[in-house]
Amino acid sequence: DGGITQSPKYLFRKEGQNVTLSCEQNLNHDAMYWYRQDPGQGLRLIYYSQIVNDFQKGDIAEGYSVSREKKESFPLTVTSAQKNPTAFYLCASSMQGSQETQYFGPGTRLLVL
Amino acid sequence: AQSVTQPDIHITVSEGASLELRCNYSYGATPYLFWYVQSPGQGLQLLLKYFSGDTLVQGIKGFEAEFKRSQSSFNLRKPSVHWSDAAEYFCAVGAGSSGDKLTFGTGTRLAVRP
């Protein structure tokens, strides 16, 4: 089955720790995205990538980093600089072009210990 | 830059009643418009989208939406709601000038009374 997988489903972070969220897609999509979802705030774009080895900051990139070494993979690292990381993180992918549908993974919930 | 407003944070309807969820956008040219649905703790699923042509768009699960340029709106409708429609609904706008990015509204949570 084609789709997007995210792992883990739940992730716990200690103070001062970096954590990495995985996102993999087998839809052969060029573009991939990371969103953060908080109650009452909708989805906010963290980073996006339109092609391998290239990515751009979204609206709330501070405290996050990404890489795009393979077309299928777009991992997100939540660094210790992100002071309020507790949220639901969603990964998406699409063909290139803003008229294209974005397909979403099931999400990762990050909690701070 | 484009923006999206969903003025209703929470709506409750009775099963079998009709539904309309409001979405207003701000963008200078013709936007690309989307409605997504999210069940609790899950990802988002596309219900329907508009980018040209007929302004009344049919989607999955019996939903439809109408693009009204004069009102900058893209409201989602369903003639008869089912209990399984209880979820959160997001309107989103994309624009050619912003590359592949979408801007999402803050969502409307739908509850269905038996």
Side-chain angles (χ1 to χ4, degrees), chain A residues 33 37 50 97-99 101-102 105, chain B residues 32 36 38 43 49 95 99-100:
Chain A
Y33 315 81
Q37 187 176 22
Q50 295 175 293
S98 49
Q99 76 278 14
T101 299
Q102 291 189 14
Chain B
Y32 305 122
Y36 284 87
Q38 183 183 34
K49 67 179 181 181
D100 300 330

Side-chain angles (χ1 to χ4, degrees), chain A residues 90-111:
Chain A
L90 287 161
C91 178
S93 72
S94 73
M95 300 299 288
Q96 287 200 17
S98 49
Q99 76 278 14
E100 297 294 337
T101 299
Q102 291 189 14
Y103 294 85
F104 284 80
T108 292
R109 186 164 299 280
L110 177 61
L111 300 166

Side-chain angles (χ1 to χ4, degrees), chain B residues 78-101:
Chain B
K78 187 170 184 177
S80 178
V81 170
H82 188 262
W83 64 266
S84 61
D85 293 324
E88 189 152 21
Y89 292 80
F90 292 94
C91 182
V93 60
S97 60
S98 65
D100 300 330
K101 294 191 296 181

Side-chain angles (χ1 to χ4, degrees), chain A residues 24-66:
Chain A
E24 304 276 335
Q25 56 98 0
N26 62 5
L27 300 168
N28 199 33
H29 286 164
D30 290 308
M32 297 187 74
Y33 315 81
W34 274 105
Y35 293 93
R36 170 178 171 143
Q37 187 176 22
D38 297 280
Q41 296 196 47
L43 278 70
R44 292 182 291 168
L45 184 64
I46 303 172
Y47 269 98
Y48 66 105
S49 167
Q50 295 175 293
I51 198 167
V52 174
N53 292 322
D54 188 40
F55 48 84
Q56 289 78 40
K57 293 181 179 180
D59 301 318
I60 55 166
E62 186 174 351
Y64 300 97
S65 66
V66 293

